[in-house]
Coordinates of all heavy atoms in Angstrom, one line a residue:
M1 N -22.1 67.2 -98.6 CA -23.0 67.4 -97.5 C -22.5 66.6 -96.3 O -22.0 65.5 -96.4 CB -24.4 67.0 -97.8 CG -25.1 67.9 -98.9 SD -25.5 69.5 -98.2 CE -26.7 70.0 -99.3
A2 N -22.8 67.2 -95.1 CA -22.5 66.5 -93.9 C -23.8 66.5 -93.1 O -24.5 67.5 -93.0 CB -21.4 67.3 -93.1
K3 N -24.1 65.3 -92.5 CA -25.3 65.2 -91.7 C -25.0 65.7 -90.3 O -24.1 65.2 -89.6 CB -25.8 63.8 -91.7 CG -27.1 63.6 -91.0 CD -27.6 62.1 -91.1 CE -27.8 61.6 -92.6 NZ -28.8 62.4 -93.4
I4 N -25.8 66.7 -89.9 CA -25.6 67.2 -88.5 C -26.9 66.8 -87.8 O -28.0 67.0 -88.3 CB -25.5 68.8 -88.5 CG1 -24.3 69.2 -89.5 CG2 -25.2 69.3 -87.1 CD1 -23.0 68.7 -89.1
I5 N -26.7 66.3 -86.6 CA -27.8 65.9 -85.8 C -28.0 66.9 -84.7 O -27.2 67.0 -83.8 CB -27.6 64.4 -85.2 CG1 -27.4 63.5 -86.4 CG2 -28.7 64.0 -84.3 CD1 -26.7 62.2 -86.1
Y6 N -29.2 67.6 -84.7 CA -29.5 68.5 -83.7 C -30.5 67.9 -82.8 O -31.5 67.4 -83.2 CB -30.2 69.8 -84.4 CG -29.3 70.5 -85.4 CD1 -29.3 70.1 -86.8 CD2 -28.5 71.6 -85.1 CE1 -28.5 70.7 -87.7 CE2 -27.8 72.2 -86.0 CZ -27.8 71.8 -87.3 OH -27.0 72.5 -88.2
I7 N -30.3 68.0 -81.5 CA -31.2 67.4 -80.5 C -31.7 68.6 -79.6 O -30.9 69.2 -78.9 CB -30.5 66.3 -79.7 CG1 -30.0 65.2 -80.6 CG2 -31.6 65.7 -78.7 CD1 -29.2 64.1 -79.9
E8 N -33.0 68.8 -79.7 CA -33.6 69.9 -78.9 C -33.6 69.4 -77.4 O -33.4 68.3 -77.1 CB -35.1 70.1 -79.3 CG -35.2 70.7 -80.7 CD -36.7 70.8 -81.1 OE1 -37.5 71.1 -80.2 OE2 -37.0 70.7 -82.3
H9 N -33.7 70.4 -76.5 CA -33.6 70.1 -75.1 C -34.6 69.1 -74.7 O -34.3 68.3 -73.8 CB -33.8 71.4 -74.3 CG -33.6 71.2 -72.8 ND1 -32.4 71.0 -72.2 CD2 -34.6 71.2 -71.8 CE1 -32.6 70.8 -70.9 NE2 -33.9 70.9 -70.7
Q10 N -35.8 69.1 -75.3 CA -36.9 68.2 -74.9 C -36.7 66.8 -75.6 O -37.4 65.9 -75.4 CB -38.2 68.7 -75.3 CG -38.7 69.9 -74.5 CD -38.1 71.2 -75.0 OE1 -37.4 71.2 -76.0 NE2 -38.4 72.3 -74.3
G11 N -35.7 66.7 -76.4 CA -35.3 65.4 -77.0 C -35.6 65.2 -78.5 O -35.2 64.2 -79.1
A12 N -36.3 66.1 -79.1 CA -36.6 66.0 -80.5 C -35.3 66.1 -81.3 O -34.5 66.9 -81.1 CB -37.6 67.1 -81.0
E13 N -35.2 65.1 -82.3 CA -34.0 65.0 -83.1 C -34.2 65.5 -84.5 O -35.3 65.2 -85.1 CB -33.4 63.6 -83.1 CG -32.7 63.2 -81.9 CD -32.0 61.9 -82.0 OE1 -31.5 61.6 -83.2 OE2 -31.9 61.2 -81.0
H14 N -33.3 66.2 -85.1 CA -33.4 66.6 -86.5 C -32.1 66.2 -87.1 O -31.0 66.7 -86.7 CB -33.6 68.1 -86.5 CG -34.7 68.6 -85.7 ND1 -36.0 68.8 -86.2 CD2 -34.7 69.0 -84.4 CE1 -36.8 69.3 -85.2 NE2 -36.0 69.4 -84.1
E15 N -32.1 65.4 -88.2 CA -30.9 65.1 -89.0 C -31.0 66.0 -90.2 O -31.9 65.9 -91.1 CB -30.9 63.7 -89.4 CG -30.7 62.7 -88.2 CD -30.4 61.3 -88.6 OE1 -30.3 61.0 -89.8 OE2 -30.4 60.4 -87.7
I16 N -30.0 66.9 -90.3 CA -30.0 67.9 -91.4 C -28.8 67.7 -92.2 O -27.7 67.7 -91.7 CB -30.1 69.3 -90.9 CG1 -31.3 69.5 -89.9 CG2 -30.2 70.3 -92.0 CD1 -32.6 69.5 -90.5
D17 N -28.9 67.7 -93.5 CA -27.7 67.7 -94.4 C -27.3 69.2 -94.6 O -28.1 70.0 -95.1 CB -28.1 67.1 -95.8 CG -28.2 65.6 -95.7 OD1 -27.5 65.0 -94.9 OD2 -29.1 65.0 -96.4
V18 N -26.1 69.5 -94.2 CA -25.6 70.9 -94.3 C -24.4 70.9 -95.2 O -23.5 70.1 -95.1 CB -25.2 71.4 -92.9 CG1 -24.7 72.8 -92.9 CG2 -26.4 71.2 -91.9
A19 N -24.4 71.9 -96.1 CA -23.3 72.0 -97.0 C -22.0 72.4 -96.4 O -22.1 73.3 -95.5 CB -23.7 73.0 -98.1
P20 N -20.9 71.9 -96.8 CA -19.6 72.4 -96.2 C -19.5 73.9 -96.5 O -19.9 74.4 -97.5 CB -18.6 71.6 -97.0 CG -19.3 70.3 -97.4 CD -20.7 70.7 -97.7
G21 N -18.9 74.6 -95.5 CA -18.8 76.0 -95.6 C -19.9 76.8 -94.9 O -19.7 77.9 -94.5
R22 N -21.0 76.1 -94.7 CA -22.1 76.7 -93.8 C -21.7 76.5 -92.4 O -21.0 75.5 -92.1 CB -23.5 76.1 -94.2 CG -23.9 76.2 -95.6 CD -24.3 77.7 -96.0 NE -25.6 78.0 -95.4 CZ -26.0 79.3 -95.4 NH1 -25.3 80.3 -95.8 NH2 -27.2 79.5 -94.9
S23 N -22.3 77.3 -91.5 CA -22.0 77.0 -90.1 C -23.1 76.1 -89.5 O -24.2 75.9 -90.1 CB -22.0 78.3 -89.3 OG -23.4 78.8 -89.2
V24 N -22.8 75.5 -88.4 CA -23.8 74.6 -87.7 C -25.0 75.4 -87.4 O -26.1 74.9 -87.5 CB -23.1 74.0 -86.5 CG1 -24.2 73.2 -85.7 CG2 -22.0 73.0 -86.9
M25 N -24.8 76.7 -87.0 CA -26.0 77.5 -86.7 C -26.8 77.7 -88.0 O -28.0 77.6 -88.0 CB -25.5 78.9 -86.2 CG -26.6 79.9 -86.0 SD -27.0 80.8 -87.6 CE -25.7 82.0 -87.7
Q26 N -26.2 78.0 -89.1 CA -26.9 78.2 -90.4 C -27.7 77.0 -90.8 O -28.8 77.1 -91.3 CB -26.0 78.7 -91.5 CG -25.4 80.1 -91.3 CD -24.3 80.4 -92.3 OE1 -23.4 79.6 -92.5 NE2 -24.4 81.6 -92.8
G27 N -27.1 75.8 -90.5 CA -27.8 74.6 -90.9 C -29.1 74.5 -90.1 O -30.1 74.0 -90.6
A28 N -29.1 74.9 -88.8 CA -30.3 74.9 -88.0 C -31.3 75.9 -88.5 O -32.5 75.6 -88.7 CB -30.0 75.1 -86.6
V29 N -30.9 77.1 -88.6 CA -31.8 78.2 -88.9 C -32.4 78.0 -90.3 O -33.6 78.2 -90.5 CB -31.0 79.6 -88.9 CG1 -31.9 80.7 -89.4 CG2 -30.6 79.9 -87.4
D30 N -31.6 77.6 -91.3 CA -32.1 77.4 -92.6 C -33.2 76.3 -92.7 O -34.0 76.3 -93.6 CB -31.0 76.9 -93.6 CG -29.9 78.0 -93.8 OD1 -30.2 79.2 -93.5 OD2 -28.9 77.7 -94.4
N31 N -33.2 75.4 -91.7 CA -34.1 74.3 -91.7 C -35.2 74.4 -90.6 O -35.8 73.4 -90.4 CB -33.3 73.0 -91.7 CG -32.5 72.8 -93.0 OD1 -33.1 72.4 -94.0 ND2 -31.3 73.1 -92.9
G32 N -35.3 75.5 -90.0 CA -36.3 75.7 -89.0 C -36.2 74.8 -87.7 O -37.2 74.6 -87.1
V33 N -34.9 74.5 -87.4 CA -34.7 73.7 -86.2 C -34.9 74.7 -85.0 O -34.3 75.8 -84.9 CB -33.3 73.1 -86.1 CG1 -33.0 72.5 -84.8 CG2 -33.2 72.1 -87.3
L34 N -35.7 74.3 -84.0 CA -36.0 75.2 -82.9 C -34.8 75.0 -81.9 O -34.2 74.0 -81.8 CB -37.3 74.8 -82.2 CG -38.5 74.9 -83.1 CD1 -39.8 74.4 -82.3 CD2 -38.7 76.3 -83.6
G35 N -34.6 76.1 -81.1 CA -33.7 76.0 -80.0 C -32.4 76.8 -80.3 O -31.6 77.0 -79.4
I36 N -32.2 77.3 -81.5 CA -31.0 78.1 -81.9 C -31.6 79.4 -82.4 O -32.2 79.4 -83.5 CB -30.1 77.4 -82.9 CG1 -29.5 76.2 -82.3 CG2 -29.0 78.4 -83.4 CD1 -28.5 75.4 -83.2
L37 N -31.4 80.5 -81.7 CA -32.0 81.8 -82.1 C -31.1 82.6 -83.0 O -31.6 83.2 -84.0 CB -32.3 82.6 -80.8 CG -33.2 82.0 -79.8 CD1 -33.4 82.9 -78.6 CD2 -34.5 81.6 -80.3
A38 N -29.8 82.6 -82.8 CA -28.9 83.3 -83.7 C -29.3 84.7 -83.9 O -29.3 85.2 -85.1 CB -28.7 82.5 -85.0
E39 N -29.5 85.5 -82.9 CA -30.0 86.8 -83.0 C -29.0 87.8 -83.7 O -29.4 88.8 -84.3 CB -30.4 87.4 -81.7 CG -31.6 86.7 -81.1 CD -32.0 87.3 -79.7 OE1 -31.2 87.9 -79.1 OE2 -33.1 87.0 -79.3
C40 N -27.7 87.5 -83.7 CA -26.8 88.4 -84.3 C -26.4 87.9 -85.7 O -25.6 88.5 -86.4 CB -25.5 88.6 -83.5 SG -24.4 87.1 -83.5
G41 N -27.0 86.8 -86.1 CA -26.8 86.4 -87.5 C -25.4 85.7 -87.7 O -25.0 85.5 -88.9
G42 N -24.7 85.4 -86.7 CA -23.5 84.7 -86.8 C -22.2 85.6 -86.6 O -21.1 85.2 -86.9
A43 N -22.5 86.7 -86.0 CA -21.3 87.7 -85.7 C -20.6 87.4 -84.4 O -19.8 88.2 -84.0 CB -21.8 89.1 -85.8
C44 N -20.9 86.3 -83.7 CA -20.3 86.0 -82.5 C -20.5 87.1 -81.4 O -19.6 87.4 -80.7 CB -18.8 85.7 -82.7 SG -18.1 84.8 -81.3
S45 N -21.7 87.7 -81.4 CA -21.9 88.8 -80.5 C -23.2 88.7 -79.7 O -23.6 89.6 -79.0 CB -21.9 90.1 -81.2 OG -22.9 90.2 -82.2
C46 N -23.9 87.5 -79.8 CA -25.2 87.4 -79.0 C -25.2 86.2 -78.1 O -25.9 86.3 -77.1 CB -26.4 87.4 -80.0 SG -26.5 85.8 -80.9
G47 N -24.6 85.2 -78.5 CA -24.6 84.0 -77.6 C -25.8 83.1 -77.7 O -26.0 82.2 -76.9
T48 N -26.7 83.5 -78.6 CA -28.0 82.7 -78.7 C -28.0 81.6 -79.7 O -29.0 81.1 -80.1 CB -29.2 83.7 -79.0 OG1 -29.0 84.2 -80.3 CG2 -29.3 84.8 -77.9
C49 N -26.8 81.1 -80.0 CA -26.7 79.9 -80.9 C -25.9 78.9 -80.1 O -25.3 78.0 -80.7 CB -25.9 80.3 -82.2 SG -24.3 80.8 -81.9
H50 N -26.0 79.0 -78.8 CA -25.3 78.1 -77.9 C -25.7 76.6 -78.1 O -26.9 76.3 -78.1 CB -25.5 78.6 -76.4 CG -25.0 77.7 -75.3 ND1 -25.6 77.7 -74.1 CD2 -23.9 76.9 -75.3 CE1 -24.9 76.8 -73.3 NE2 -23.9 76.4 -74.0
V51 N -24.8 75.7 -78.2 CA -25.1 74.3 -78.2 C -24.0 73.5 -77.3 O -23.0 74.1 -77.0 CB -25.0 73.7 -79.6 CG1 -26.1 74.3 -80.5 CG2 -23.6 73.9 -80.3
Y52 N -24.4 72.3 -77.0 CA -23.5 71.4 -76.4 C -23.0 70.4 -77.4 O -23.8 69.7 -78.0 CB -24.1 70.7 -75.2 CG -24.7 71.6 -74.1 CD1 -26.1 71.6 -73.9 CD2 -23.9 72.5 -73.4 CE1 -26.7 72.4 -72.9 CE2 -24.5 73.3 -72.5 CZ -25.8 73.3 -72.2 OH -26.4 74.1 -71.3
I53 N -21.7 70.3 -77.5 CA -21.2 69.3 -78.5 C -21.1 67.9 -77.8 O -20.7 67.8 -76.7 CB -19.7 69.7 -78.9 CG1 -19.7 71.2 -79.4 CG2 -19.1 68.7 -79.9 CD1 -20.5 71.4 -80.7
D54 N -21.6 66.9 -78.6 CA -21.6 65.6 -78.0 C -20.1 65.3 -77.7 O -19.2 65.6 -78.4 CB -22.1 64.6 -79.1 CG -22.1 63.2 -78.6 OD1 -23.1 62.8 -78.0 OD2 -21.1 62.5 -78.7
P55 N -19.9 64.6 -76.5 CA -18.5 64.4 -76.1 C -17.6 63.7 -77.1 O -16.4 64.0 -77.2 CB -18.7 63.5 -74.8 CG -20.0 63.9 -74.3 CD -20.9 64.2 -75.5
A56 N -18.2 62.8 -77.9 CA -17.4 62.1 -78.9 C -16.9 63.1 -80.0 O -16.0 62.7 -80.8 CB -18.2 61.0 -79.6
W57 N -17.5 64.3 -80.1 CA -17.1 65.2 -81.2 C -16.3 66.4 -80.7 O -15.9 67.3 -81.6 CB -18.4 65.6 -81.9 CG -19.0 64.6 -82.7 CD1 -19.9 63.6 -82.4 CD2 -18.7 64.3 -84.1 NE1 -20.2 62.8 -83.4 CE2 -19.4 63.1 -84.5 CE3 -17.8 64.8 -85.0 CZ2 -19.4 62.6 -85.8 CZ3 -17.7 64.3 -86.3 CH2 -18.5 63.2 -86.6
V58 N -16.1 66.6 -79.4 CA -15.5 67.8 -78.9 C -14.2 68.1 -79.6 O -13.9 69.2 -80.0 CB -15.4 67.7 -77.4 CG1 -14.5 68.8 -76.9 CG2 -16.8 67.8 -76.7
D59 N -13.3 67.1 -79.7 CA -12.0 67.3 -80.3 C -12.1 67.6 -81.8 O -11.3 68.3 -82.3 CB -11.1 66.1 -80.0 CG -10.7 66.0 -78.5 OD1 -10.9 67.0 -77.8 OD2 -10.4 64.9 -78.1
K60 N -13.1 67.0 -82.4 CA -13.2 67.1 -83.9 C -13.6 68.4 -84.4 O -13.4 68.8 -85.5 CB -14.0 66.0 -84.4 CG -13.5 64.6 -84.2 CD -14.5 63.5 -84.6 CE -14.0 62.2 -84.1 NZ -15.0 61.1 -84.0
V61 N -14.4 69.2 -83.6 CA -14.9 70.5 -84.0 C -13.9 71.6 -83.9 O -14.1 72.7 -84.4 CB -16.2 70.9 -83.3 CG1 -17.3 69.9 -83.5 CG2 -15.9 71.1 -81.8
G62 N -12.7 71.3 -83.3 CA -11.7 72.3 -83.2 C -11.8 73.2 -82.0 O -12.8 73.1 -81.2
A63 N -10.9 74.1 -81.8 CA -10.9 74.9 -80.6 C -11.6 76.2 -80.9 O -11.8 76.7 -82.0 CB -9.4 75.2 -80.3
K64 N -12.2 76.7 -79.8 CA -12.9 78.0 -79.9 C -11.8 79.2 -79.9 O -10.7 79.0 -79.3 CB -13.9 78.2 -78.8 CG -13.4 77.9 -77.4 CD -14.4 78.0 -76.3 CE -15.0 76.7 -75.9 NZ -14.5 76.1 -74.7
N65 N -12.2 80.2 -80.6 CA -11.3 81.4 -80.6 C -11.6 82.3 -79.3 O -12.5 82.0 -78.6 CB -11.4 82.2 -81.9 CG -12.7 82.8 -82.1 OD1 -13.4 83.1 -81.2 ND2 -13.1 82.9 -83.4
V66 N -10.8 83.3 -79.2 CA -10.9 84.2 -78.0 C -12.3 84.8 -77.9 O -12.9 84.9 -76.8 CB -9.8 85.2 -78.0 CG1 -10.0 86.3 -76.9 CG2 -8.4 84.6 -77.9
A67 N -12.8 85.3 -79.0 CA -14.1 86.0 -79.0 C -15.2 85.0 -78.6 O -16.1 85.4 -77.8 CB -14.4 86.6 -80.4
E68 N -15.2 83.8 -79.1 CA -16.2 82.8 -78.8 C -16.1 82.5 -77.3 O -17.1 82.4 -76.6 CB -16.0 81.6 -79.7 CG -17.1 80.5 -79.3 CD -16.9 79.2 -80.1 OE1 -16.0 79.2 -80.9 OE2 -17.7 78.3 -79.8
A69 N -14.9 82.2 -76.8 CA -14.7 81.9 -75.4 C -15.2 83.0 -74.5 O -15.9 82.7 -73.5 CB -13.2 81.6 -75.2
G70 N -15.0 84.2 -74.9 CA -15.5 85.3 -74.1 C -17.0 85.4 -74.1 O -17.6 85.6 -73.0
M71 N -17.6 85.2 -75.2 CA -19.1 85.2 -75.3 C -19.7 84.0 -74.5 O -20.7 84.2 -73.9 CB -19.5 85.1 -76.8 CG -21.0 85.3 -77.0 SD -21.6 86.9 -76.5 CE -20.6 88.0 -77.4
L72 N -19.0 82.9 -74.5 CA -19.6 81.7 -73.8 C -19.6 81.9 -72.3 O -20.3 81.2 -71.6 CB -18.7 80.5 -74.1 CG -19.1 79.8 -75.5 CD1 -18.0 78.8 -75.9 CD2 -20.5 79.2 -75.5
E73 N -18.8 82.9 -71.8 CA -18.9 83.2 -70.4 C -20.2 83.8 -70.0 O -20.6 83.8 -68.8 CB -17.8 84.2 -70.0 CG -16.4 83.6 -70.1 CD -15.3 84.5 -69.8 OE1 -15.6 85.7 -69.4 OE2 -14.1 84.1 -70.0
D74 N -21.0 84.3 -70.9 CA -22.3 85.0 -70.6 C -23.5 84.2 -71.0 O -24.6 84.6 -70.8 CB -22.3 86.3 -71.3 CG -21.3 87.3 -70.8 OD1 -20.9 87.2 -69.6 OD2 -20.8 88.1 -71.6
V75 N -23.3 83.0 -71.6 CA -24.5 82.2 -72.0 C -25.1 81.5 -70.7 O -24.4 81.3 -69.7 CB -24.2 81.2 -73.1 CG1 -23.7 81.9 -74.3 CG2 -23.3 80.1 -72.6
C76 N -26.4 81.1 -70.9 CA -27.0 80.3 -69.8 C -26.5 78.9 -69.8 O -26.3 78.3 -70.8 CB -28.5 80.2 -70.1 SG -29.4 81.8 -70.1
A77 N -26.2 78.4 -68.6 CA -25.9 77.0 -68.4 C -24.8 76.5 -69.2 O -24.8 75.4 -69.8 CB -27.2 76.1 -68.6
A78 N -23.7 77.3 -69.2 CA -22.5 76.8 -70.0 C -21.9 75.6 -69.3 O -21.9 75.4 -68.1 CB -21.5 78.0 -70.0
K79 N -21.3 74.7 -70.2 CA -20.6 73.5 -69.7 C -19.3 73.5 -70.5 O -19.1 74.2 -71.4 CB -21.5 72.3 -70.1 CG -22.8 72.2 -69.4 CD -23.6 71.0 -69.9 CE -25.0 70.9 -69.3 NZ -25.7 69.7 -69.8
P80 N -18.4 72.6 -70.1 CA -17.1 72.5 -70.8 C -17.3 72.2 -72.3 O -16.4 72.6 -73.0 CB -16.4 71.3 -70.0 CG -17.0 71.3 -68.7 CD -18.5 71.7 -68.9
N81 N -18.3 71.5 -72.7 CA -18.5 71.2 -74.1 C -19.4 72.2 -74.8 O -19.9 72.0 -75.9 CB -19.1 69.8 -74.3 CG -20.4 69.6 -73.6 OD1 -20.8 70.3 -72.6 ND2 -21.2 68.6 -74.1
S82 N -19.6 73.4 -74.2 CA -20.4 74.4 -74.8 C -19.7 75.0 -76.0 O -18.5 75.3 -75.9 CB -20.7 75.6 -73.8 OG -21.7 75.2 -72.9
R83 N -20.4 75.4 -77.1 CA -19.8 76.1 -78.2 C -20.9 77.0 -78.8 O -22.1 76.8 -78.5 CB -19.4 75.1 -79.3 CG -18.2 74.3 -78.9 CD -16.9 75.1 -78.8 NE -16.5 75.9 -79.9 CZ -15.8 75.5 -80.9 NH1 -15.3 74.3 -80.9 NH2 -15.5 76.3 -81.9
L84 N -20.5 78.0 -79.5 CA -21.4 78.8 -80.3 C -21.5 78.2 -81.7 O -20.4 78.1 -82.4 CB -20.9 80.2 -80.4 CG -20.9 81.0 -79.0 CD1 -20.4 82.4 -79.2 CD2 -22.2 81.0 -78.3
S85 N -22.7 77.8 -82.1 CA -22.8 77.0 -83.3 C -22.5 77.8 -84.6 O -22.2 77.3 -85.6 CB -24.2 76.4 -83.4 OG -25.2 77.3 -83.3
C86 N -22.5 79.2 -84.4 CA -22.2 80.0 -85.6 C -20.7 80.0 -85.9 O -20.2 80.4 -86.9 CB -22.7 81.4 -85.4 SG -21.8 82.4 -84.1
Q87 N -19.9 79.5 -84.9 CA -18.4 79.5 -85.1 C -17.9 78.2 -85.5 O -16.7 78.0 -85.6 CB -17.8 80.0 -83.7 CG -18.2 81.4 -83.3 CD -17.9 82.4 -84.4 OE1 -16.7 82.6 -84.7 NE2 -18.9 83.1 -84.9
I88 N -18.8 77.2 -85.7 CA -18.4 75.9 -86.2 C -18.7 75.8 -87.7 O -19.9 75.7 -88.0 CB -19.0 74.8 -85.4 CG1 -18.6 75.0 -83.9 CG2 -18.6 73.4 -85.9 CD1 -19.4 74.0 -82.9
I89 N -17.8 75.7 -88.5 CA -18.0 75.6 -89.9 C -18.0 74.2 -90.3 O -17.1 73.4 -90.0 CB -16.9 76.4 -90.7 CG1 -16.9 77.9 -90.3 CG2 -17.1 76.2 -92.2 CD1 -18.2 78.6 -90.4
V90 N -19.1 73.8 -91.0 CA -19.3 72.4 -91.4 C -18.2 72.0 -92.5 O -18.0 72.7 -93.4 CB -20.7 72.2 -91.9 CG1 -20.9 70.8 -92.5 CG2 -21.7 72.5 -90.8
T91 N -17.7 70.8 -92.3 CA -16.8 70.2 -93.2 C -17.3 68.7 -93.4 O -18.1 68.2 -92.6 CB -15.3 70.2 -92.7 OG1 -15.3 69.4 -91.6 CG2 -14.8 71.6 -92.4
D92 N -16.8 68.1 -94.4 CA -17.1 66.7 -94.6 C -16.7 65.8 -93.4 O -17.4 64.8 -93.1 CB -16.4 66.1 -95.9 CG -17.0 66.7 -97.1 OD1 -18.2 67.2 -97.1 OD2 -16.3 66.7 -98.2
E93 N -15.7 66.3 -92.7 CA -15.2 65.5 -91.5 C -16.2 65.6 -90.4 O -16.1 64.8 -89.4 CB -13.8 66.1 -91.1 CG -12.7 65.7 -92.0 CD -12.7 66.4 -93.4 OE1 -13.2 67.6 -93.4 OE2 -12.4 65.8 -94.4
L94 N -17.1 66.5 -90.4 CA -18.1 66.7 -89.3 C -19.4 65.9 -89.6 O -20.4 66.1 -88.9 CB -18.4 68.1 -89.1 CG -17.2 68.9 -88.5 CD1 -17.7 70.4 -88.1 CD2 -16.6 68.3 -87.2
D95 N -19.4 65.1 -90.7 CA -20.5 64.2 -91.0 C -20.9 63.4 -89.8 O -20.0 62.6 -89.3 CB -20.2 63.4 -92.2 CG -21.4 62.6 -92.6 OD1 -22.6 63.1 -92.6 OD2 -21.3 61.4 -93.0
G96 N -22.1 63.5 -89.2 CA -22.5 62.8 -88.1 C -22.4 63.5 -86.8 O -22.8 63.0 -85.7
L97 N -22.0 64.8 -86.8 CA -21.8 65.6 -85.6 C -23.2 65.7 -84.9 O -24.2 65.9 -85.5 CB -21.4 67.0 -86.0 CG -21.4 68.1 -84.9 CD1 -20.4 67.8 -83.9 CD2 -21.1 69.5 -85.5
I98 N -23.1 65.6 -83.6 CA -24.3 65.7 -82.7 C -24.1 66.9 -81.8 O -23.1 67.0 -81.1 CB -24.4 64.4 -81.9 CG1 -24.6 63.2 -82.7 CG2 -25.6 64.5 -80.9 CD1 -24.5 61.8 -82.0
V99 N -25.1 67.8 -81.9 CA -25.2 68.9 -81.0 C -26.5 68.9 -80.3 O -27.5 68.5 -80.8 CB -25.0 70.3 -81.7 CG1 -23.6 70.3 -82.4 CG2 -26.1 70.5 -82.7
R100 N -26.5 69.3 -79.0 CA -27.7 69.4 -78.2 C -27.9 70.9 -77.8 O -27.0 71.6 -77.5 CB -27.6 68.5 -77.0 CG -27.5 67.1 -77.3 CD -27.3 66.2 -76.1 NE -27.5 64.8 -76.4 CZ -26.5 64.0 -76.9 NH1 -25.3 64.5 -77.2 NH2 -26.7 62.8 -77.2
M101 N -29.2 71.2 -77.8 CA -29.5 72.6 -77.5 C -29.7 72.7 -76.0 O -30.3 71.8 -75.3 CB -30.8 73.1 -78.2 CG -30.5 73.6 -79.6 SD -30.0 72.4 -80.7 CE -31.5 72.1 -81.6
P102 N -29.4 73.9 -75.4 CA -29.7 74.1 -74.0 C -31.1 74.3 -73.7 O -31.9 74.5 -74.7 CB -28.8 75.3 -73.7 CG -28.8 76.1 -75.0 CD -28.7 75.0 -76.0
E103 N -31.6 74.3 -72.5 CA -33.0 74.5 -72.2 C -33.4 75.9 -72.7 O -34.6 76.0 -73.1 CB -33.2 74.4 -70.6 CG -34.6 74.5 -70.2 CD -34.8 74.3 -68.8 OE1 -33.8 74.1 -68.0 OE2 -36.0 74.2 -68.4
K104 N -32.6 76.9 -72.6 CA -33.0 78.2 -73.1 C -31.7 78.9 -73.5 O -30.6 78.6 -73.1 CB -33.7 79.0 -72.0 CG -32.8 79.2 -70.7 CD -33.6 80.0 -69.7 CE -32.8 80.2 -68.4 NZ -33.5 81.0 -67.4
Q105 N -31.9 79.9 -74.4 CA -30.8 80.6 -75.0 C -30.6 82.0 -74.3 O -29.5 82.6 -74.3 CB -31.0 80.9 -76.5 CG -30.9 79.6 -77.3 CD -29.5 79.1 -77.5 OE1 -28.5 79.7 -77.0 NE2 -29.3 78.0 -78.2
I106 N -31.7 82.5 -73.6 CA -31.6 83.8 -73.0 C -32.0 83.7 -71.5 O -33.0 83.0 -71.2 CB -32.5 84.8 -73.7 CG1 -32.1 85.0 -75.2 CG2 -32.4 86.2 -73.0 CD1 -33.0 85.8 -76.0
Ligands
FES1 FE1 -24.9 85.3 -82.4 FE2 -23.7 82.9 -82.8 S1 -25.4 83.7 -83.8 S2 -23.2 84.4 -81.4

């Protein structure tokens, strides 16, 4: 298990143990964390699982692929550390990962 720390836009924090192989998005949805809608279920086609990766973790989560990069062009309030949480697969190395939710997903 890896502990993923989800921080809602208003500041509420959720520390969730997520099994390796699950996505960061699935860890949130499975545990009722608000702020990640994931309307496409992880198909990289909705952009409603947008999160901001804590600066200390940006390099550790790996690079986004072309499809994700394209989808991120259409999300609200994108920043350089924006990612789609459905495209980040949890590994033991991501234990302690901090992600913050944007003010809105749509
Ligand atoms: Fe739709 Fe991530 S869940 S793009």
Side-chain angles (χ1 to χ4, degrees):
M1 291 290 202
K3 187 176 299 299
I4 309 297
I5 300 160
Y6 301 87
I7 304 177
E8 295 179 32
H9 183 71
Q10 293 82 3
E13 284 191 31
H14 308 269
E15 290 190 10
I16 307 288
D17 289 326
V18 182
R22 302 288 285 168
S23 71
V24 172
M25 175 277 280
Q26 288 171 317
V29 171
D30 291 349
N31 291 282
V33 174
L34 300 177
I36 293 178
L37 303 179
E39 291 180 343
C40 75
C44 197
S45 61
C46 72
T48 64
C49 64
H50 175 207
V51 296
Y52 303 118
I53 305 297
D54 184 88
W57 287 91
V58 167
D59 291 340
K60 297 173 189 161
V61 297
K64 47 184 101 94
N65 63 32
V66 173
E68 180 185 358
M71 188 59 58
L72 281 167
E73 293 178 3
D74 295 329
V75 302
C76 298
K79 299 178 183 179
N81 60 335
S82 289
R83 292 294 304 269
L84 296 180
S85 57
C86 70
Q87 300 301 301
I88 301 172
I89 302 304
V90 172
T91 63
D92 291 335
E93 288 69 35
L94 293 185
D95 184 40
L97 172 66
I98 300 169
V99 299
R100 292 177 172 83
M101 274 70 100
E103 182 173 9
K104 59 183 181 178
Q105 291 285 358
I106 300 174

